[in-house]
Amino acid sequence: MKDGETAPGRGWFITIEGPDGAGKTLVAGLLADALLARGFDVVQTREPGGTAVGEAVRHIVLDHAPGDAPHDPRTDALLFGASRAQLVAEVIRPALDRGALVIGARHADSSLAYQGHGGGLPQAPLRELQDFATGGLRPDLTLLLDVPVETGLARKQVDEQTRFEATFDLDFHRRVREGYLALAAAEPERFQVIDATAPVDAVVETALGAILARTGTATEPSRPILRIHP
Ligand code: TYD
């Protein structure tokens, strides 16, 4: 373990990632219901947000008004990182320590994809920042809901658009999608890429199958959940 890291908890940390409009929030909610019904202790999180600090950061990073100066991508990286650090310390770690299954809608890979591939920040310092913010916590499984940029953006109503959807151009969003796919290709043992143009029931079924396979409860959904760390 490196400095600043703490021992991994007993639970499971599953993240859901993907471009805007991929359906992460909807899928996360349906997955949480399905896992609760199977007896898992489920905790749902979303980023940015989930704590008082995180919700305050959420307003700073996502709200926008005409004429606002664009954020430097470093500013965004630090703000998303601040929200993430507080969420890990206040919610995710304690949940994992008690053996819960945490479903996180967005986590560190969002910063690597958006501020890195989208915003042009180099990956190495961004990764260090993620490790600093999370104390080295890594998801056990990351479900990447992949959707073509035009399809994803078209799913969002104008009144629910964040600064990222309203002010970033198509090329930015294309780099984000390609960035996600590159992250998944580099870590195939952690990522499962799911076609999010499929009907939501099919997406949830695939995602649930991946989670149950990862937690080793595919055939026998019972607790306690044991995890062996190599
Ligand atoms: P949100 O409305 O929560 O979108 P979604 O439902 O798709 O998650 O807005 C989050 C926005 O913030 C989204 O456009 C992606 C962006 N973002 C980053 O750029 N970096 C990050 O680290 C995170 C967590 C989000």
Side-chain angles (χ1 to χ4, degrees):
M1 234 182 300
K2 286 190 269 174
D3 279 356
E5 290 185 9
T6 53
R10 293 182 298 117
W12 296 93
F13 184 30
I14 315 289
T15 57
I16 305 184
E17 295 279 0
D20 289 280
K24 293 175 295 300
T25 310
L26 179 61
V27 169
L30 294 169
L31 278 176
D33 291 345
L35 290 160
L36 276 170
R38 282 166 188 265
F40 284 94
D41 174 4
V42 180
V43 172
Q44 247 188 286
T45 63
R46 71 157 180 187
E47 296 188 30
T51 64
V53 168
E55 292 300 323
V57 168
R58 186 173 178 87
H59 287 296
I60 301 173
V61 280
L62 299 189
D63 292 354
H64 64 98
D68 282 354
H71 294 193
D72 188 285
R74 286 177 180 75
T75 308
D76 280 339
L78 292 165
L79 287 168
F80 285 116
S83 169
R84 185 163 300 135
Q86 189 63 26
L87 186 69
V88 168
E90 200 178 312
V91 179
I92 297 177
R93 281 256 188 226
L96 295 177
D97 286 346
R98 70 162 198 261
L101 186 150
V102 178
I103 298 184
R106 295 197 182 280
H107 189 64
D109 295 305
S110 281
S111 286
L112 300 178
Y114 281 77
Q115 284 65 58
H117 290 277
L121 294 182
Q123 291 285 307
L126 259 187
R127 283 178 187 273
E128 273 188 44
L129 177 62
Q130 304 317 309
D131 276 349
F132 179 68
T134 66
L137 179 70
R138 299 275 164 79
D140 295 295
L141 172 69
T142 298
L143 304 167
L144 172 54
L145 305 192
D146 181 49
V147 71
V149 165
E150 290 83 353
T151 311
L153 292 177
R155 286 176 176 174
K156 294 259 183 150
Q157 306 291 323
V158 169
D159 62 358
E160 45 173 48
Q161 285 181 343
T162 65
R163 179 171 57 90
F164 283 84
E165 289 132 359
T167 67
F168 285 69
D169 62 13
L170 269 185
D171 279 349
F172 175 91
H173 289 284
R174 289 200 180 103
R175 289 196 299 277
V176 168
R177 182 191 181 199
E178 292 308 317
Y180 268 130
L181 292 171
L183 293 171
E187 260 186 279
E189 64 294 340
R190 172 164 72 89
F191 275 89
Q192 163 116 7
V193 182
I194 300 176
D195 174 7
T197 63
V200 68
D201 288 355
V203 173
V204 171
E205 197 184 315
T206 308
L208 186 61
I211 293 172
L212 296 179
R214 186 70 187 85
T215 56
T217 46
T219 50
E220 200 186 336
S222 62
R223 300 181 69 202
I225 303 155
L226 294 179
R227 183 166 66 167
I228 297 162
H229 290 284

